[in-house]
Amino acid sequence: TLSGTTVYNFPQILSKDRVKSERPIDLEGFSDLGNFAYLTRSTCRTLKDVNDTEMFERRIAAMQTIGISDDDISAIFETIGAVLHLGNTKFDAPPNNSEGSMVMQEC
């Protein structure tokens, strides 16, 4: 699986003739998906008969096929990471202002 990987060398499953370019993909920070609140809302962690690595590679190959550049693919992963990290943010009302909000200190 992809979990626990820092740099993923694409492709590993798909044949090289099915991808436009081979490249490393930086997955630093995604090693433990349990760290993201958005990904822990369900008890379902895996789908039966689904190979996560193959599906990941198919999506990258599809992005390449429609002309998304390697830089834009990297930006997509960075955006997904930003959204996952923002999902961990918790807010609280500041003292003496029940209508406002501020990021809780624990975040």
Side-chain angles (χ1 to χ4, degrees), residues 3-35:
S3 184
T5 303
T6 300
V7 176
Y8 183 81
N9 293 306
F10 169 77
Q12 291 183 11
I13 292 180
L14 295 181
S15 62
K16 293 182 185 348
D17 63 332
R18 292 185 59 192
V19 301
K20 280 193 164 191
S21 63
E22 300 173 46
R23 61 186 302 249
I25 298 172
D26 184 7
L27 296 176
E28 185 175 353
F30 290 95
S31 61
D32 184 3
L33 300 181
N35 289 335

Side-chain angles (χ1 to χ4, degrees), residues 4-90:
T5 303
T6 300
V7 176
Y8 183 81
N9 293 306
F10 169 77
Q12 291 183 11
I13 292 180
L14 295 181
S15 62
K16 293 182 185 348
D17 63 332
R18 292 185 59 192
V19 301
K20 280 193 164 191
S21 63
E22 300 173 46
R23 61 186 302 249
I25 298 172
D26 184 7
L27 296 176
E28 185 175 353
F30 290 95
S31 61
D32 184 3
L33 300 181
N35 289 335
F36 301 106
Y38 286 157
L39 302 179
T40 59
R41 307 262 185 214
S42 171
T43 58
C44 179
R45 298 279 187 250
T46 59
L47 297 176
K48 184 178 178 186
D49 300 326
V50 173
N51 182 321
D52 290 339
T53 305
E54 180 181 359
M55 296 309 292
F56 179 73
E57 290 192 1
R58 284 180 182 229
R59 279 162 183 76
I60 295 171
M63 288 188 271
Q64 289 178 338
T65 298
I66 62 172
I68 298 176
S69 71
D70 286 347
D71 287 341
D72 286 344
I73 291 172
S74 293
I76 290 167
F77 289 124
E78 289 169 8
T79 302
I80 292 168
V83 169
L84 289 172
H85 284 287
L86 283 171
N88 290 341
T89 307
K90 296 179 183 177

